Each structure stands twice: as C-alpha cells, then as structure tokens.
Amino acid sequence: MNPVRHRGAVRHSPDHQGAVPLPATHNPKHLNRLERFLRTAAEAIHTCDQDPAQEQDDDGHLLDTEGYGWAAHRRDRSLWYAYLPVRSHADALLTTATAQLDMLPQESRPAWASKIAALARAADTLEAGHDRLMRELREHLTGAANPNLASVDLSVTEFFDEAWPALDVWAGGGSAVTELNTTVHGTAPPPAPNPALRLVSGGVTGWSRC
C-alpha cells in the first residue's frame, strides 16, 4: 500500500519491503487526549454556530460582520489550544493508524487510508503554520529596541484564522483514528462528538458557518 506522509516524514506500511514494522496498538493516553479534543472542538464549534453574530438579513448577509469575525476567532483559538495535547502525539497516532490499515481486508483499506491521509495533511499544515508564526514572532520581538507588539497581535490572529481549515479536519475527522482502532481490535472507542452539533445549513463546507 502507499505510505502515509505527515510532518514531513513518510511512514511505510509493515508489508513494504525493507520497512520496519509499525506498532499497531495506540497508547491509551493518546486516545484519551484525542477524545477530549473532539469533545472540546464540538463544543467550540457549536458555540460559534449559535453566536448572535450569525444572524442574517433577508438577503443572507451577516448583520454583524465584526461580531462574526470575533466569534470565529474565539472558535479557532479554542480549537488550537484544545489540539495542543493531540499535536504532541499526532505522529504516534497517525503512525499506529497507518499500521492498522494493513490489518484490514484489502477492499476496505482505501476509504480508511483516505481519512488518515487527510488528518496527516492537516497536521502538516498546522506544523507549517506554527513554524511560520514562530519565525514572525522572532522577527517582531528580537533585535529591536521597541518590539512591534501590534505586529505580534496581527501574526497571532492570522495564525488562528489560517489554522481553522486544518483544525476543522481534525475536529470533524479525528474520530477516524478511534473508529479504525475499534474496527481492528474490537474495543470500544472513546465517545465521539455528536455530529448533529455541526449540521448547520448554509455553511461553506456544509458543516459550520463559523
């Protein structure tokens, strides 16, 4: 099968010639942290979707664009901080999930592989964005008598805004890791967020307007 690429690395499946077999059992602590992230993310997205700034006029235009922007910013910031404990173990989660793909019947692998690959790409995107933020902050805060705090605030705000699509991938698709684990090992997965919380009509993605 094809390798899954994430965090700039390539993880080969156990049947890949010359590759080292990958562990096929998750650390329970990693799954618990993913579970907490999924619950927190669902709550943050639901809160944003219910914000009064979502109100629209008869033509479908937002009545409070500034309020909408702040609601989305709070959502994005909450998701990033909720993701941090998962970020520490994203490689391990994805590596184990990749190994588990080879324990599935051949015909069911592509669908699962697509879900895991999407999470891997999102993790890469978040890492690249964070690296860029760190470079910008160093430029703003070092080598100057008066640090440019306004630029710091702008860089952080832009980071949260740009992180939203990748965080949304993990919020909406992170449960694939636990579901795949259940499929392979037959153990009960951690509770996943209620999808109904995110079924909001009129959104760009069909999940959330915020």
Side-chain angles (χ1 to χ4, degrees):
M1 65 179 293
N2 294 329
V4 173
R5 183 183 300 274
H6 58 95
R7 298 287 192 87
V10 176
R11 313 299 192 195
H12 291 286
S13 63
D15 60 358
H16 188 279
Q17 185 175 2
V20 177
L22 301 176
T25 303
H26 286 288
N27 184 320
K29 292 182 179 179
H30 298 174
L31 291 179
N32 288 338
R33 290 175 180 179
L34 177 58
E35 170 197 350
R36 286 196 296 271
F37 164 74
L38 292 172
R39 287 201 301 263
T40 301
E43 292 169 0
I45 292 171
H46 179 63
T47 297
C48 182
D49 289 342
Q50 298 302 313
D51 192 280
Q54 294 282 357
E55 187 176 355
Q56 302 176 357
D57 61 21
D58 294 338
D59 295 324
H61 300 135
L62 291 168
L63 296 177
D64 183 3
T65 55
E66 182 177 358
Y68 173 87
W70 279 110
H73 176 72
R74 288 191 296 270
R75 175 206 61 200
D76 302 342
R77 182 181 58 196
S78 296
L79 260 65
W80 170 252
Y81 286 117
Y83 174 74
L84 286 179
V86 177
R87 177 186 176 227
S88 302
H89 307 293
D91 276 346
L93 287 167
L94 294 171
T95 297
T96 300
T98 300
Q100 290 178 342
L101 292 174
D102 291 294
M103 302 171 67
L104 298 173
Q106 186 67 41
E107 63 273 11
S108 63
R109 292 181 189 178
W112 286 106
S114 177
K115 295 178 182 180
I116 301 304
L119 293 173
R121 289 192 297 270
D124 279 342
T125 298
L126 291 169
E127 288 306 304
H130 185 262
D131 289 346
R132 183 170 61 253
L133 172 64
M134 292 298 100
R135 290 194 300 270
E136 292 178 0
L137 294 184
R138 283 193 293 269
E139 292 174 0
H140 298 326
L141 296 174
T142 61
N146 297 310
N148 191 339
L149 298 183
S151 295
V152 168
D153 289 342
L154 179 60
S155 291
V156 172
T157 298
E158 289 179 345
F159 166 72
F160 287 138
D161 292 345
E162 294 171 359
W164 157 244
L167 289 169
D168 190 39
V169 170
W170 273 87
S175 59
V177 172
T178 59
E179 292 166 0
L180 174 59
N181 188 63
T182 300
T183 299
V184 169
H185 294 299
T187 55
N194 183 356
L197 292 177
R198 304 189 59 200
L199 291 176
V200 181
S201 62
V204 174
T205 64
W207 286 94
S208 171
R209 287 200 306 270
C210 243

